[in-house]
Amino acid sequence: MMSAQNNGLQTEFQRKGYMLQDQFLTAEQCDHFLDIIAQFKQKNESPEIYRKVRGRSLRYSVIDGEKIEQHLPEIAHLYQKVNEFVRDVSNKELVPLDNKKVGINVNITPRGGEYRWHYDRNAVTVLLYLNEVRGGELELYPCYRIYLKNQRLLFLQRWLDRIIQIGAIRHFFGKKVVVQPTQGRMVMMQGTRCLHSVRPVEDDRERINCVFSYDTPDAKFLVEKNLDRYLYTQEALTSDPNYVASTDSSQAS
Ligand SMILES: O=C(O)CCC(=O)C(=O)O
Ligand SMILES: [Fe+2]
């Protein structure tokens, strides 16, 4: 894993709202993680979550952080290691989330699977791609949000988020970045500021990646319970609980 020191990554991350690094993990490391994930999958069910959304749905399966801690401790260890890198690059006191289920995820996206447009609830998110597949590109609008610090304005934040996500507005005002998932590639982004989604996977192979979430030690999240049910269970829910993040005022931008 590369060190963030002396190479301008800090400025890049702070200026652009995201950064990308290839060979963050070696092919051997990725293959090893893929192996242990495959072993886990043989013994454990990971049901498909399918939430229909106009434009782009959420369709994937996920190993949540509680299961990872119990069955895939090497990935939990990597989450801690990557935390050092994240602190270096962000120059902030960022830590793993208190909510264990959410902090670390392994997303498994089969052919036809995709991930809806959203912001993350937490300040900084790291995506680690363990394999290369056709399709399944990450689409990202960095620093594309009118972000209200005052959480009492939640209704207004939701409204702003809805407006800004309208396709025509995105095309006109946003600058889209498309990232192909390749083995060992890492993307680090300001989760609450970057609008992102995943294009449909076109490969017969599943797209497999780690999602590591970090925030300041005092961060609190609204809509937490409903959002967790939406992302991690097959329970019927009428709508997408919105992404509005922490009460913390020192967000990562
Ligand atoms: O898999 C990706 O590239 C993005 C996943 C994501 O945005 C998430 O899990 O919140
Ligand atoms: Fe995300």
Side-chain angles (χ1 to χ4, degrees), residues 58 60 62 105-109 115-116 118-122 125 127-129 136-139 179 181 187 189 196-199 207-213 231-232 243:
L58 174 67
Y60 77 141
V62 56
N105 285 177
V106 171
N107 288 359
I108 302 170
T109 317
Y115 204 112
R116 78 196 200 294
H118 67 289
Y119 299 97
D120 294 330
R121 72 183 84 181
N122 52 287
T125 304
L127 302 165
L128 280 175
Y129 297 105
E137 295 90 347
L138 172 73
E139 292 195 338
V179 180
V187 174
M189 69 170 132
H196 57 284
S197 76
V198 177
R199 282 185 187 164
R207 174 189 194 268
I208 301 182
N209 64 311
C210 301
V211 183
F212 294 161
S213 301
L231 295 175
Y232 302 110
Y243 277 80

Side-chain angles (χ1 to χ4, degrees), residues 22-59:
D22 282 328
Q23 277 124 42
F24 187 81
L25 294 178
T26 64
E28 292 72 35
Q29 286 174 308
C30 292
D31 288 341
H32 175 66
F33 290 128
L34 289 170
D35 267 355
I36 61 175
I37 291 165
Q39 283 167 31
F40 171 87
K41 283 181 64 196
Q42 278 174 0
K43 288 184 240 127
N44 301 271
E45 287 270 300
S46 45
E48 182 182 82
I49 313 287
Y50 186 20
R51 309 282 183 197
K52 263 205 174 114
V53 182
R54 195 151 51 93
R56 189 162 287 165
S57 296
L58 174 67
R59 186 170 202 166

